[in-house]
Amino acid sequence: MTSVVSSDPTPNLEDQKQNLPVTIITGFLGSGKTTLLNHILTNQQGIKTAVLVNEFGEIGIDNELIISTDQDMVELNNGCICCTINNDLVEAIYKVLERQDSIDYLVVETTGLADPLPVALTFLGTELRDLTRLDSIVTVVDCENFSLDLFNSEAAYSQITYGDVILLNKVDLVDEGDVDALEVRIRDMKQGARIIRTNRAQVPLPLILSVGLFESDKYYQTESKSDRDHHDHHDHDHDHHDCGHDHSHDHDHHHHSHHLENDGFTSVSFQSDKPFAIKKFQNFLDHHLPETVFRAKGILWFDESPHRHIFHLSGKRFSLDDSEWQSQPKNQLVLIGQNLDHDKLLSQIQKCLCLPSTNRGKGFGK
Ligand SMILES: Nc1nc2c(ncn2[C@@H]2O[C@H](COP(=O)(O)OP(=O)(O)OP(=O)(O)O)[C@@H](O)[C@H]2O)c(=O)[nH]1
């Protein structure tokens, strides 16, 4: 196996060579996890990296956004990774392991709403422990939007407390003083983490991969303590830690979506093989998008444009980038937020579709 520079070689290097190193990328919705993944895939020279991507929402947008490589990619597409811990995730990992001859590194990107703890436990608590080596949990933080009070999400808290490396990302969007204040706050929540400031998740890879920062002994203790704490401190409706911690029974998806509703986040997915009218969609964004939509992403097709438009919204900021269609144009849009009126949103998005006789022939943006 080719190995990346290791800043701190540990004594059991021999074991490490045999086990597939794994890095878990976590971080809240829109913080830059896919951006980091793309950075890794583009720059991991000479290392064959497999990625497992899981996203919240019925439509897999991320697989459209990940720079395609000739390496293995298995996408789990049925909800939050912490729910699929006992079936799909393990299955996907085995698929990668079966090809171990050609895979040097595994990166798992969790959904923005996942607690990384159950994902990490998958690697430690099952027979995977002997086949993989959990190298580190990397947490991406959106410096512009980070606020645990705003998210009101336990998963957001866990993402910080279980991060071995914490990337303070999107530093380009905030004043340095604000990043300083955020760093103090995060150091307070998680002592001993390696904190790195990044723009577009551009981090030297030796600082985050093959770093051997994950300490499983400490982790096991933390896990059982945190498990107790969670059950002591939170109301009984919020039972999502059961989802990841008890490996002995099957999960049902109702149970899981219940936990997401407790965090208040749901997703609305829209697909159509018809184009949007640009002005209608703009009107939707300007006047009808509720503030409670925290994250949106889409591959958009506008009647007025020959391009494939990649749409992102995180917090209040949105972007629309051009690319080229490699396949039949279509619209795919996922909105994620708290307390969403699904039917209303879907009907509003539906109304953005171009009616057959209108808008034809007008240029983009006119
Ligand atoms: N200005 C700026 N934008 C960034 C930076 N990093 C990522 N973005 C943008 O933020 C948006 C969200 O980035 P993603 O990488 O898709 O975020 P994510 O964490 O994978 O999102 P989810 O999977 O939906 O949780 C995209 O529009 C990115 O281009 C950064 O450092 N600065």
Side-chain angles (χ1 to χ4, degrees):
M1 188 187 101
T2 327
S3 114
V4 204
V5 180
S6 172
S7 55
D8 179 20
T10 51
N12 57 344
L13 199 61
E14 211 42 52
D15 290 345
Q16 292 187 14
K17 279 186 182 161
Q18 286 155 17
N19 297 347
L20 183 67
V22 179
T23 286
I24 296 172
I25 299 177
T26 183
F28 205 67
L29 295 167
S31 54
K33 297 179 293 298
T34 306
T35 306
L36 175 62
L37 192 56
N38 276 334
H39 172 62
I40 293 172
L41 290 175
T42 320
N43 293 291
Q44 274 267 55
Q45 276 153 12
I47 312 265
K48 287 212 175 114
T49 307
V51 301
L52 298 181
V53 179
N54 181 238
E55 57 184 315
F56 184 59
E58 287 143 41
I59 314 173
I61 304 274
D62 273 1
N63 60 339
E64 299 259 359
L65 301 180
I66 288 167
I67 294 167
S68 68
T69 61
D70 53 2
Q71 291 138 15
D72 243 23
M73 159 138 178
V74 185
E75 194 202 2
L76 307 173
N77 206 8
N78 52 349
C80 178
I81 220 169
C82 74
C83 185
T84 56
I85 186 162
N86 278 337
N87 33 69
D88 300 14
L89 177 61
V90 173
E91 220 171 84
I93 296 163
Y94 271 106
K95 268 191 201 150
V96 171
L97 285 170
E98 278 158 21
R99 302 172 54 94
Q100 203 183 1
D101 54 317
S102 61
I103 299 296
D104 300 321
Y105 212 100
L106 174 63
V107 179
V108 180
E109 180 191 342
T110 71
T111 81
L113 293 170
D115 182 337
L117 182 65
V119 181
L121 281 176
T122 305
F123 292 96
L124 297 184
T126 64
E127 66 272 37
L128 285 173
R129 191 173 35 203
D130 301 327
L131 302 169
T132 60
R133 175 181 66 80
L134 190 49
D135 183 72
S136 56
I137 298 180
V138 178
T139 304
V140 187
V141 169
D142 178 339
C143 286
E144 190 186 38
N145 287 307
F146 184 78
S147 161
L148 286 174
D149 319 330
L150 171 73
F151 301 150
N152 191 24
S153 158
E154 271 195 69
Y157 186 81
S158 281
Q159 288 167 359
I160 303 296
T161 53
Y162 293 111
D164 301 306
V165 183
I166 298 176
L167 301 188
L168 301 182
N169 191 38
K170 306 199 187 181
V171 287
D172 56 314
L173 301 179
V174 284
D175 293 340
E176 207 179 337
D178 292 339
V179 186
D180 292 343
L182 180 59
E183 182 166 342
V184 169
R185 193 171 164 198
I186 286 184
R187 279 204 191 284
D188 221 33
M189 293 167 66
K190 169 75 186 190
Q191 271 110 38
R194 177 180 286 182
I195 298 182
I196 305 166
R197 299 180 184 204
T198 55
N199 180 1
R200 303 219 164 257
Q202 300 288 309
V203 56
L205 296 185
L207 292 182
I208 59 166
L209 302 177
S210 282
V211 286
L213 286 175
F214 190 86
E215 298 169 72
S216 51
D217 295 353
K218 186 169 141 195
Y219 179 87
Y220 262 127
Q221 285 159 16
T222 314
E223 186 272 319
S224 49
K225 181 179 180 301
S226 114
D227 200 30
R228 256 182 282 124
D229 286 353
H230 277 120
H231 288 279
D232 288 350
H233 293 160
H234 298 285
D235 64 56
H236 289 287
D237 279 339
H238 195 112
D239 53 3
H240 97 272
H241 286 271
D242 292 345
C243 170
H245 293 185
D246 185 350
H247 286 206
S248 61
H249 64 80
D250 285 333
H251 302 297
D252 77 54
H253 286 248
H254 282 303
H255 166 88
H256 180 176
S257 61
H258 180 55
H259 113 60
L260 289 171
E261 276 159 22
N262 279 339
D263 270 357
F265 288 91
T266 54
S267 74
V268 173
S269 298
F270 177 87
Q271 279 200 88
S272 174
D273 55 7
K274 296 190 183 63
F276 285 142
I278 182 83
K279 281 190 175 160
K280 292 182 180 179
F281 187 71
Q282 202 162 348
N283 182 53
F284 167 70
L285 290 183
D286 291 343
H287 301 294
H288 299 295
L289 192 69
E291 292 220 328
T292 50
V293 171
F294 179 82
R295 174 81 171 112
K297 48 190 167 179
I299 307 294
L300 302 186
W301 175 30
F302 294 110
D303 190 50
E304 298 87 343
S305 165
H307 299 294
R308 171 180 179 266
H309 296 274
I310 300 170
F311 173 71
H312 277 288
L313 176 133
S314 328
K316 298 197 185 319
R317 184 179 299 272
F318 72 84
S319 64
L320 204 55
D321 295 317
D322 292 1
S323 61
E324 298 310 314
W325 291 107
Q326 304 293 340
S327 55
Q328 183 66 26
K330 63 179 173 182
N331 268 309
Q332 291 181 301
L333 180 63
V334 175
L335 309 179
I336 304 173
Q338 290 173 310
N339 309 314
L340 305 182
D341 182 340
H342 289 224
D343 292 342
K344 189 168 167 196
L345 276 168
L346 280 173
S347 114
Q348 284 167 335
I349 300 169
Q350 181 80 24
K351 284 187 191 139
C352 297
L353 291 176
C354 188
L355 297 173
S357 58
T358 56
N359 285 324
R360 295 262 171 208
K362 289 194 185 158
F364 185 55
K366 289 184 189 161

